[in-house]
């Protein structure tokens, strides 16, 4: 830990407790890396026999007022095991900004995440990843089971592959109930927002009485990763900016 980290950690804890007075906060003396922290956090949550599903929320997002209710509502009506993201697919992967997963979904992904951490020494500086080696490893795993290989090298991509390998149902709500907040932070730099189309993401703030019928129709269809309800403007602008970024990168190469 660097000098001054303890004070910043305490400030974060104070902020969290101001809104969630009964929350349990875990502190680490060093940077464990995202895969290890998520794995241990979920292990701890599911160690309680009364917990059968968990909602994970990143700290740099805005949530629709109905986001958590919609995830629980859908989860109670879809066959298990499953994971449900609170927004449509992003780059072919269910966005982990706000995601519900059942106990069995966590159990199914755990061995591959453990192997990911051990094989690439990720219990620590998660940013120092050998992306090419990870991509080759994931491609070999996917090919051995006849599924599509992920293009990303994040723990999100590893979990997504694990769920597909183990037959866990992957759902993404057909409306955007979570989005990255602003243009600052790990995922929120202006370049990243433009490259991914995130700059044009807009939360669906429909009241529950309007949202529920749309959820019911989606659940009746069996859920899935339907993106039909994305606003046309978001799809168009996101597609244009991603294409422009790709052309610039190709020109620079």
């Amino acid at each position: 830990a660097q000098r001054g980290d303890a004070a910043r950690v305490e400030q974060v804890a104070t902020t969290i407790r101001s809104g969630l007075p009964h929350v349990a906060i875990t502190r680490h003396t060093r940077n464990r890396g995202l895969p290890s922290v998520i794995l241990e956090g979920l292990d701890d949550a599911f160690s309680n026999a009364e917990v059968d599903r968990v909602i994970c929320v990143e700290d740099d997002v805005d949530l629709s007022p109905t986001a958590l209710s919609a995830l629980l509502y859908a989860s109670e009506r879809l066959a298990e095991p499953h994971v449900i993201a609170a927004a449509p697919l992003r780059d072919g992967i269910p966005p982990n900004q706000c995601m519900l997963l059942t106990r069995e979904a966590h159990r199914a992904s755990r061995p591959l995440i453990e192997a990911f951490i051990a094989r690439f020494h990720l219990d620590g500086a998660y940013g120092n990843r050998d992306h090419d080696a990870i991509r080759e490893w994931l491609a070999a795993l996917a090919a051995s089971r006849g599924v599509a290989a992920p293009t990303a090298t994040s723990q999100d991509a590893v979990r997504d592959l694990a769920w597909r390998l183990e037959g866990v149902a992957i759902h993404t709500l057909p409306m955007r109930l979570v989005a990255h907040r602003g243009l600052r932070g790990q995922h929120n730099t202006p370049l990243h927002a433009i490259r991914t189309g995130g700059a044009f993401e807009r939360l669906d703030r429909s009241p529950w009485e309007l949202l529920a019928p749309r959820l019911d129709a989606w659940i009746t269809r069996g859920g899935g990763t339907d993106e039909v309800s994305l606003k046309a403007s978001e799809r168009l602008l996101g597609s244009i900016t991603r294409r422009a970024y790709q052309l610039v990168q190709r020109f620079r190469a």
Side-chain angles (χ1 to χ4, degrees):
Q2 297 179 0
R3 182 178 299 175
D5 281 353
R8 289 196 292 268
V9 168
E10 189 57 40
Q11 184 179 17
V12 171
T14 300
T15 301
I16 293 171
R17 284 209 172 91
S18 67
L20 300 168
H22 304 296
V23 71
I25 297 175
T26 301
R27 293 176 171 85
H28 294 284
T29 57
R30 65 183 179 89
N31 184 354
R32 294 292 310 284
L34 185 61
S36 295
V37 170
I38 289 181
L39 192 64
E40 291 182 7
L42 289 172
D43 282 347
D44 183 61
F46 285 120
S47 67
N48 184 335
E50 296 183 357
V51 174
D52 60 2
R53 65 203 70 205
V54 167
I55 297 177
C56 302
V57 184
E58 293 184 354
D59 62 356
D60 56 354
V61 300
D62 284 329
L63 290 176
S64 163
T66 58
L68 304 185
S69 296
L71 287 173
L72 290 170
Y73 183 86
S75 181
E76 290 167 356
R77 290 160 175 78
L78 292 169
E80 296 186 21
H82 58 241
V83 298
I84 310 174
L89 288 176
R90 163 69 68 81
D91 297 330
I93 299 174
N96 284 254
Q97 302 153 320
C98 179
M99 173 178 280
L100 179 148
L101 62 158
T102 62
R103 177 187 295 274
E104 289 303 317
H106 171 56
R107 186 176 297 169
S109 65
R110 197 181 194 288
L112 194 57
I113 290 292
E114 283 188 311
F116 178 52
I117 294 168
R119 187 182 186 95
F120 298 103
H121 312 291
L122 297 178
D123 192 348
Y126 181 51
N128 298 329
R129 286 171 285 166
D130 186 337
H131 294 280
D132 290 337
I134 294 171
R135 197 171 286 111
E136 290 177 6
W137 177 63
L138 293 176
L141 287 173
S144 70
R145 300 282 291 276
V147 302
T151 57
T153 59
S154 64
Q155 65 91 25
D156 298 343
V158 175
R159 284 206 304 178
D160 177 70
L161 176 60
W163 290 326
R164 289 189 287 120
L165 292 175
E166 298 302 322
V168 174
I170 299 172
H171 304 283
T172 59
L173 295 183
M175 64 284 292
R176 186 175 301 286
L177 302 183
V178 61
H180 277 126
R181 180 177 62 249
L183 295 176
R184 299 177 59 190
Q186 176 70 17
H187 302 98
N188 298 353
T189 63
L191 178 60
H192 182 87
I194 292 173
R195 179 175 66 84
T196 62
F200 308 106
E201 292 179 353
R202 295 294 179 269
L203 287 181
D204 188 328
R205 299 183 182 275
S206 301
W208 183 255
E209 56 268 25
L210 296 180
L211 194 74
R214 294 161 57 195
L215 270 178
D216 285 333
W218 174 74
I219 292 167
T220 299
R221 297 197 304 269
T225 55
D226 187 4
E227 297 188 52
V228 69
S229 295
L230 273 178
K231 292 182 179 179
S233 59
E234 182 179 324
R235 292 202 308 271
L236 177 62
L237 291 171
S239 175
I240 290 173
T241 54
R242 282 195 296 271
R243 181 59 178 164
Y245 178 83
Q246 291 167 358
L247 289 173
V248 169
Q249 291 297 98
R250 188 176 302 171
F251 177 77
R252 291 176 61 185

